[in-house]
Short mmCIF file of all heavy atoms in Angstrom, two decimals:
data_model
loop_
_atom_site.label_atom_id
_atom_site.label_comp_id
_atom_site.label_asym_id
_atom_site.label_seq_id
_atom_site.Cartn_x
_atom_site.Cartn_y
_atom_site.Cartn_z
N THR A 1246 26.25 -13.74 -23.20
CA THR A 1246 25.11 -14.30 -24.04
C THR A 1246 25.21 -15.79 -24.27
O THR A 1246 24.38 -16.56 -23.89
CB THR A 1246 24.95 -13.55 -25.37
OG1 THR A 1246 24.91 -12.07 -25.01
CG2 THR A 1246 23.56 -13.89 -25.96
N LEU A 1247 26.29 -16.16 -25.01
CA LEU A 1247 26.45 -17.58 -25.27
C LEU A 1247 26.76 -18.42 -24.05
O LEU A 1247 26.38 -19.64 -24.06
CB LEU A 1247 27.54 -17.74 -26.34
CG LEU A 1247 27.18 -17.24 -27.77
CD1 LEU A 1247 28.47 -17.41 -28.73
CD2 LEU A 1247 25.91 -17.93 -28.32
N LYS A 1248 27.45 -17.82 -23.08
CA LYS A 1248 27.71 -18.56 -21.89
C LYS A 1248 26.38 -18.99 -21.13
O LYS A 1248 26.29 -20.17 -20.73
CB LYS A 1248 28.54 -17.83 -20.87
CG LYS A 1248 28.82 -18.52 -19.60
CD LYS A 1248 29.53 -17.58 -18.53
CE LYS A 1248 30.94 -17.14 -19.08
NZ LYS A 1248 31.54 -16.23 -18.21
N TYR A 1249 25.47 -18.03 -20.93
CA TYR A 1249 24.10 -18.34 -20.31
C TYR A 1249 23.44 -19.27 -21.13
O TYR A 1249 22.78 -20.08 -20.54
CB TYR A 1249 23.47 -16.98 -20.07
CG TYR A 1249 23.97 -16.19 -18.92
CD1 TYR A 1249 24.37 -14.91 -19.11
CD2 TYR A 1249 24.12 -16.72 -17.63
CE1 TYR A 1249 24.80 -14.11 -18.02
CE2 TYR A 1249 24.56 -15.99 -16.56
CZ TYR A 1249 24.98 -14.70 -16.71
OH TYR A 1249 25.35 -13.96 -15.71
N LEU A 1250 23.42 -19.25 -22.39
CA LEU A 1250 22.61 -20.09 -23.22
C LEU A 1250 23.24 -21.57 -23.09
O LEU A 1250 22.48 -22.50 -23.02
CB LEU A 1250 22.62 -19.67 -24.72
CG LEU A 1250 21.73 -18.50 -24.95
CD1 LEU A 1250 21.96 -18.03 -26.39
CD2 LEU A 1250 20.31 -18.77 -24.69
N TYR A 1251 24.58 -21.58 -22.95
CA TYR A 1251 25.20 -22.91 -22.89
C TYR A 1251 24.82 -23.57 -21.48
O TYR A 1251 24.51 -24.71 -21.36
CB TYR A 1251 26.72 -22.75 -22.90
CG TYR A 1251 27.51 -24.08 -22.77
CD1 TYR A 1251 27.74 -24.92 -23.90
CD2 TYR A 1251 28.05 -24.44 -21.57
CE1 TYR A 1251 28.41 -26.07 -23.78
CE2 TYR A 1251 28.72 -25.59 -21.46
CZ TYR A 1251 28.88 -26.47 -22.54
OH TYR A 1251 29.62 -27.63 -22.38
N LEU A 1252 24.92 -22.67 -20.40
CA LEU A 1252 24.56 -23.18 -19.14
C LEU A 1252 23.12 -23.60 -19.04
O LEU A 1252 22.71 -24.39 -18.29
CB LEU A 1252 24.88 -22.14 -18.02
CG LEU A 1252 26.45 -21.86 -17.93
CD1 LEU A 1252 26.61 -20.72 -16.88
CD2 LEU A 1252 27.24 -23.05 -17.53
N LEU A 1253 22.22 -22.80 -19.70
CA LEU A 1253 20.82 -23.21 -19.64
C LEU A 1253 20.56 -24.57 -20.17
O LEU A 1253 19.66 -25.28 -19.64
CB LEU A 1253 20.02 -22.15 -20.65
CG LEU A 1253 18.53 -22.32 -20.88
CD1 LEU A 1253 17.86 -22.17 -19.60
CD2 LEU A 1253 18.10 -21.41 -21.88
N PHE A 1254 21.32 -25.11 -21.15
CA PHE A 1254 21.14 -26.51 -21.60
C PHE A 1254 22.08 -27.40 -20.98
O PHE A 1254 22.05 -28.58 -21.41
CB PHE A 1254 21.29 -26.40 -23.18
CG PHE A 1254 20.28 -25.57 -23.87
CD1 PHE A 1254 20.79 -24.49 -24.72
CD2 PHE A 1254 19.04 -25.90 -23.80
CE1 PHE A 1254 19.94 -23.67 -25.30
CE2 PHE A 1254 18.10 -24.97 -24.46
CZ PHE A 1254 18.61 -23.94 -25.24
N ASP A 1255 22.86 -26.99 -20.07
CA ASP A 1255 23.81 -27.88 -19.40
C ASP A 1255 23.17 -28.71 -18.27
O ASP A 1255 22.09 -28.19 -17.64
CB ASP A 1255 24.98 -27.00 -18.88
CG ASP A 1255 26.19 -27.88 -18.53
OD1 ASP A 1255 26.20 -29.17 -18.89
OD2 ASP A 1255 27.14 -27.43 -17.79
N VAL A 1256 23.65 -29.80 -17.92
CA VAL A 1256 23.15 -30.61 -16.78
C VAL A 1256 23.42 -29.80 -15.45
O VAL A 1256 22.61 -29.76 -14.55
CB VAL A 1256 23.80 -31.97 -16.71
CG1 VAL A 1256 23.20 -32.80 -15.54
CG2 VAL A 1256 23.45 -32.69 -18.04
N ALA A 1257 24.75 -29.44 -15.29
CA ALA A 1257 25.07 -28.70 -13.98
C ALA A 1257 24.46 -27.35 -14.03
O ALA A 1257 24.30 -26.60 -15.07
CB ALA A 1257 26.58 -28.56 -13.95
N THR A 1258 23.95 -26.97 -12.83
CA THR A 1258 23.40 -25.58 -12.64
C THR A 1258 24.24 -24.65 -11.94
O THR A 1258 23.80 -23.47 -11.70
CB THR A 1258 21.98 -25.78 -11.89
OG1 THR A 1258 22.25 -26.49 -10.62
CG2 THR A 1258 20.97 -26.63 -12.61
N HIS A 1259 25.46 -25.08 -11.47
CA HIS A 1259 26.41 -24.22 -10.86
C HIS A 1259 25.77 -23.49 -9.59
O HIS A 1259 25.91 -22.30 -9.34
CB HIS A 1259 26.87 -23.10 -11.76
CG HIS A 1259 27.67 -23.78 -12.94
ND1 HIS A 1259 29.01 -24.08 -12.84
CD2 HIS A 1259 27.22 -24.13 -14.18
CE1 HIS A 1259 29.37 -24.75 -13.97
NE2 HIS A 1259 28.23 -24.72 -14.81
N GLU A 1260 25.02 -24.33 -8.80
CA GLU A 1260 24.62 -23.83 -7.46
C GLU A 1260 25.81 -23.56 -6.63
O GLU A 1260 26.86 -24.10 -6.75
CB GLU A 1260 23.70 -24.85 -6.82
CG GLU A 1260 22.32 -25.00 -7.50
CD GLU A 1260 21.47 -23.77 -7.08
OE1 GLU A 1260 21.87 -22.86 -6.35
OE2 GLU A 1260 20.33 -23.71 -7.70
N GLY A 1261 25.69 -22.63 -5.76
CA GLY A 1261 26.83 -22.27 -4.90
C GLY A 1261 27.67 -21.14 -5.48
O GLY A 1261 28.83 -20.81 -4.92
N HIS A 1262 27.21 -20.68 -6.65
CA HIS A 1262 27.89 -19.56 -7.32
C HIS A 1262 26.99 -18.37 -7.59
O HIS A 1262 25.73 -18.60 -7.73
CB HIS A 1262 28.54 -19.92 -8.68
CG HIS A 1262 29.64 -20.89 -8.66
ND1 HIS A 1262 29.56 -22.19 -8.39
CD2 HIS A 1262 30.97 -20.57 -9.01
CE1 HIS A 1262 30.85 -22.77 -8.40
NE2 HIS A 1262 31.69 -21.79 -8.76
N VAL A 1263 27.50 -17.17 -7.74
CA VAL A 1263 26.76 -16.11 -8.19
C VAL A 1263 27.64 -15.68 -9.47
O VAL A 1263 28.78 -15.80 -9.58
CB VAL A 1263 26.65 -14.88 -7.26
CG1 VAL A 1263 25.75 -15.25 -6.21
CG2 VAL A 1263 28.00 -14.41 -6.70
N PHE A 1264 26.90 -15.09 -10.37
CA PHE A 1264 27.49 -14.60 -11.62
C PHE A 1264 27.48 -13.00 -11.62
O PHE A 1264 26.58 -12.39 -11.27
CB PHE A 1264 26.72 -14.98 -12.91
CG PHE A 1264 26.80 -16.53 -13.12
CD1 PHE A 1264 26.12 -17.48 -12.46
CD2 PHE A 1264 27.80 -17.01 -14.04
CE1 PHE A 1264 26.19 -18.80 -12.71
CE2 PHE A 1264 27.89 -18.32 -14.32
CZ PHE A 1264 27.18 -19.25 -13.65
N SER A 1265 28.73 -12.56 -11.86
CA SER A 1265 28.90 -11.08 -11.91
C SER A 1265 28.13 -10.36 -12.92
O SER A 1265 27.48 -11.09 -13.81
CB SER A 1265 30.42 -10.79 -12.00
OG SER A 1265 30.85 -11.01 -13.36
N PHE A 1266 28.09 -9.12 -12.93
CA PHE A 1266 27.51 -8.31 -14.00
C PHE A 1266 27.91 -8.70 -15.41
O PHE A 1266 27.15 -8.56 -16.33
CB PHE A 1266 27.68 -6.81 -13.74
CG PHE A 1266 26.84 -5.94 -14.59
CD1 PHE A 1266 25.47 -5.71 -14.36
CD2 PHE A 1266 27.46 -5.27 -15.53
CE1 PHE A 1266 24.71 -5.05 -15.32
CE2 PHE A 1266 26.75 -4.53 -16.41
CZ PHE A 1266 25.35 -4.25 -16.29
N ASP A 1267 29.17 -9.05 -15.46
CA ASP A 1267 29.73 -9.41 -16.78
C ASP A 1267 29.68 -10.93 -17.03
O ASP A 1267 30.26 -11.40 -17.98
CB ASP A 1267 31.14 -9.00 -16.96
CG ASP A 1267 31.65 -8.78 -18.40
OD1 ASP A 1267 30.92 -8.19 -19.16
OD2 ASP A 1267 32.68 -9.46 -18.77
N GLY A 1268 28.88 -11.67 -16.14
CA GLY A 1268 28.69 -13.05 -16.41
C GLY A 1268 29.78 -13.91 -15.88
O GLY A 1268 29.82 -15.19 -16.30
N HIS A 1269 30.60 -13.55 -14.96
CA HIS A 1269 31.68 -14.41 -14.45
C HIS A 1269 31.31 -15.18 -13.17
O HIS A 1269 30.81 -14.55 -12.30
CB HIS A 1269 32.98 -13.65 -14.25
CG HIS A 1269 33.36 -12.87 -15.50
ND1 HIS A 1269 33.92 -13.58 -16.56
CD2 HIS A 1269 33.47 -11.59 -15.81
CE1 HIS A 1269 34.15 -12.77 -17.55
NE2 HIS A 1269 33.92 -11.52 -17.06
N PRO A 1270 31.59 -16.50 -13.09
CA PRO A 1270 31.14 -17.17 -11.87
C PRO A 1270 32.11 -16.98 -10.68
O PRO A 1270 33.18 -17.05 -10.85
CB PRO A 1270 31.13 -18.62 -12.30
CG PRO A 1270 32.31 -18.64 -13.45
CD PRO A 1270 32.24 -17.30 -14.06
#
Side-chain angles (χ1 to χ4, degrees):
T1246 308
L1247 289 178
K1248 178 190 293 175
Y1249 282 124
L1250 288 173
Y1251 181 85
L1252 295 177
L1253 176 64
F1254 300 118
D1255 196 10
V1256 176
T1258 56
H1259 298 277
E1260 287 288 352
H1262 286 77
V1263 291
F1264 287 84
S1265 71
F1266 186 74
D1267 201 54
H1269 303 295

